[in-house]
Amino acid sequence: MRGWLAARSLSRDLPAPVDNHGGWRVDTGGAIERRRYLFATPGPGLTTLLGSIDAPGIFVKLCADAATFRALLPPGWTITDANCMMVPDRPVAAAPVLPMDYRLSVTRRGAVMHAVITTDDGAAAASGYAAQHDGIFVYDRIVVGDAHRRRGLGRALMLALGAQADPAARQVLTATQMGAALYATLGWRVYAPYTTATIG
């Protein structure tokens, strides 16, 4: 979990996670999310942290289902997302295939990769990031525009980014319910639920 969070922070130019309350903290500094915490399991540190937060903008994430997390939350807290963390079970090794009117490019800046799919006229259709850190390779912000879905672009992004991974690295991602269905076709399986809560 810490390795995933560290690589994700690298992908987004955020500070590295630090140990905090038995989990990890990242000071994201955004307008909506000022800080995030990640916990692999519930524990006394999580309970203490939740009780100490009294303002919105701080997101706490736990590898548990929504019902389990909801039972731990103080009054005033809301579950915002109930997603999942996934790892490859039988990764598909194949070259990305695109419809004829699309183009794909991958750029690399240090340990961070950025894949972009555009139409022939240069309009953005899909994009995604990946980063590798300390033996963990993460996929991040995989997005396909509404007008370009169901054409294999998400699959092409994943395959193009995955080709950049060190073969020995452990690959990890978080997914919405919709995304998990796509990743399952690429040989991924659910590793753990991943639920987010905040005040408000």
Side-chain angles (χ1 to χ4, degrees), residues 37 40 91 106 119 150-151 155 158 173 193 198:
Y37 293 87
V106 180
T119 61
R150 302 187 184 280
R151 301 182 189 183
R155 178 186 177 91
M158 292 291 293
L173 60 79
T198 190

Side-chain angles (χ1 to χ4, degrees), residues 33-190:
E33 181 190 79
R34 293 184 289 114
R35 188 177 306 130
R36 71 165 44 197
Y37 293 87
L38 170 64
F39 288 81
T41 58
L46 172 60
T47 302
T48 300
L49 173 68
L50 291 170
S52 71
I53 297 172
D54 58 5
I58 299 174
F59 289 73
V60 180
K61 297 165 183 285
L62 174 65
C63 293
D65 59 58
T68 298
F69 199 5
R70 189 175 290 112
L72 302 172
L73 296 175
W77 283 75
T78 302
I79 298 289
T80 61
D81 294 294
N83 298 324
C84 65
M85 188 168 284
M86 304 183 76
V87 295
D89 188 27
R90 44 174 184 80
V92 176
V97 177
L98 292 172
M100 290 183 61
D101 49 347
Y102 290 92
R103 299 290 178 266
L104 182 149
S105 64
V106 180
T107 57
R108 184 164 189 153
R109 178 177 54 84
V112 179
M113 285 66 69
H114 184 203
V116 177
I117 297 176
T118 58
T119 61
D120 275 346
D121 60 6
S127 66
Y129 290 81
Q132 186 163 307
H133 177 73
D134 199 22
I136 302 291
F137 186 91
V138 305
Y139 298 79
D140 187 32
R141 291 170 286 169
I142 307 297
V143 178
V144 178
D146 290 344
H148 305 279
R149 291 183 176 171
R150 302 187 184 280
R151 301 182 189 183
L153 303 190
R155 178 186 177 91
L157 280 176
M158 292 291 293
L159 292 173
L161 290 168
Q164 305 295 314
D166 183 328
R170 186 167 190 188
Q171 299 186 35
V172 188
L173 60 79
T174 59
T176 62
Q177 185 175 4
M178 180 184 298
L182 164 67
Y183 304 136
T185 68
L186 296 174
W188 291 71
R189 62 177 173 84
V190 173

